[in-house]
Amino acid sequence: MNITIDNAVKNILDSYQKYGGINLDGAKKFPNRQNVIAVLKDLQCLVFPGYRVAEEIDELTLKFITGERVNRIVSLLTREIKRALSFVVQNDKVELSHCFNLAEKAALALIEEIPEIRRKVALDVHAANAGDPAAKSREEVIVSYPCVEAVSVYRIAHFLYKNGVPVIPRIMSEHAHGLTGIDINPGASIGESFFIDHGTGVVIGESCIIGNNVKIYQGVTLGALSVKKDLMNKKRHPTIEDDVTIYANATILGGDTVIGKGCIIGGNTWITKSVPPGTTFTQGQNGK
């Protein structure tokens, strides 16, 4: 039995050398998923204190709990951002020496942004509460709606993405994707008062631009016409202007596609060209 186990261990170790996929300690260490998710959970507790984890909070303890949480976030997030930056610039020793300072700056900037993120998320919660007849209260929306989980994580990840933090925003957004079935790339630009009703199967691509007061339903795809690698860093996903409603299972594709202000896009539609403002677009119309 011991010989069999020894051989199995040797084969596994050989596979590490042959196929890679190991995250060794050192300057080239990739960010750790568990640490990033731990930071994300603490960040979500800053956005919704008392809702995310079981903890006793009152007016007297809130200050101390918040301070402890902020210090923990800055410490761990700085370490993981440093790893991400170090991995990206691992062949440049000059830049590598500055990674810690850049990481700490990014972590502190996110903490400073929390009040603004909370303002935006509060508008998203209000949009969900106002836009869903089944919602009984703002509090119910906060604790139970998958869109709040997905969109609040997006707003955190998007800030890091816009500030040049690699890898970590995607870890955060894919964690939320796994929990909610809502896939929002952190590179997407999403305006205020955004509501995803039901949410399962929604896909929002990296270069998508979404305006204010937009409501979408389950199964909606805001995607690219092509997924060729040479289109990286180009506008591949549609623009959705203000006050648009997109019903279930609609597919809207292409970087040049613009859904004009105030449009209503019906369920199960397929659209690859722009739709003028104020249009009600339904299945059977020419969306190509």
Side-chain angles (χ1 to χ4, degrees):
M1 179 63 72
N2 289 336
I3 294 175
T4 302
I5 290 176
D6 288 344
N7 286 339
V9 170
K10 180 182 181 301
N11 290 337
I12 292 169
L13 291 172
D14 288 344
S15 78
Y16 293 153
Q17 298 300 319
K18 186 174 182 180
Y19 306 118
I22 51 176
N23 195 18
L24 296 174
D25 285 327
K28 298 180 181 181
K29 185 173 178 65
F30 207 67
N32 179 273
R33 179 183 174 89
Q34 184 175 353
N35 287 342
V36 172
I37 293 170
V39 168
L40 178 59
K41 289 180 178 178
D42 265 339
L43 287 163
Q44 290 177 292
C45 288
L46 289 184
V47 175
F48 294 121
Y51 285 99
R52 307 299 307 186
V53 298
E55 56 186 351
E56 297 296 326
I57 296 181
D58 56 34
E59 294 294 336
L60 294 176
T61 60
L62 182 59
K63 176 181 177 180
F64 300 103
I65 290 173
T66 302
E68 181 184 25
R69 185 161 278 138
V70 165
N71 278 281
R72 187 164 61 240
I73 290 168
V74 171
S75 176
L76 189 52
L77 184 58
T78 296
R79 185 171 71 181
E80 295 306 317
I81 294 175
K82 176 181 177 292
R83 287 174 172 174
L85 292 171
S86 298
F87 187 87
V88 170
V89 301
Q90 58 185 277
N91 296 319
D92 190 330
K93 293 181 180 179
V94 176
E95 290 191 25
L96 190 61
S97 67
H98 295 296
C99 285
F100 177 82
N101 290 336
L102 292 172
E104 186 177 51
K105 183 178 179 181
L108 290 171
L110 176 60
I111 292 300
E112 291 176 358
E113 185 70 8
I114 290 298
E116 175 62 10
I117 290 174
R118 293 196 76 247
R119 184 190 71 83
K120 291 179 179 179
V121 173
L123 291 174
D124 299 327
V125 170
H126 176 76
N129 189 37
D132 184 5
K136 301 299 188 295
S137 68
R138 178 179 181 272
E139 290 74 16
E140 179 188 22
V141 170
I142 291 171
V143 299
S144 62
Y145 276 44
C147 67
V148 174
E149 178 88 20
V151 176
S152 61
V153 170
Y154 155 78
R155 297 208 182 277
I156 292 167
H158 179 69
F159 180 84
L160 293 173
Y161 177 97
K162 294 293 288 184
N163 281 271
V165 175
V167 182
I168 287 171
R170 195 64 187 271
I171 295 173
M172 291 179 171
S173 63
E174 291 301 334
H175 174 68
H177 178 196
L179 292 175
T180 66
I182 299 170
D183 183 1
I184 307 176
N185 189 288
S189 178
I190 300 177
E192 298 181 353
S193 299
F194 181 52
F195 177 33
I196 305 174
D197 202 355
H198 305 297
T200 305
V202 166
V203 177
I204 299 174
E206 180 183 28
S207 61
C208 192
I209 299 173
I210 299 175
N212 297 324
N213 305 308
V214 170
K215 180 179 182 179
I216 66 179
Y217 285 79
Q218 69 272 16
V220 167
T221 297
L222 305 178
L225 278 168
S226 173
V227 292
K228 293 180 180 178
K229 201 68 174 179
D230 59 4
L231 294 176
M232 182 186 294
N233 300 321
K234 295 183 180 179
K235 179 77 164 64
R236 310 183 303 280
H237 305 96
T239 296
I240 312 297
E241 294 186 344
D242 295 349
D243 306 315
V244 170
T245 298
I246 306 173
Y247 283 98
N249 300 312
T251 298
I252 304 172
L253 306 177
D256 295 327
T257 302
V258 178
I259 305 301
K261 181 177 180 179
C263 282
I264 298 174
I265 305 300
N268 299 302
T269 49
W270 179 277
I271 298 173
T272 58
K273 70 175 185 180
S274 296
V275 177
T279 301
T280 298
F281 191 98
T282 59
Q283 190 177 14
Q285 291 180 256
N286 182 13
K288 298 181 179 180

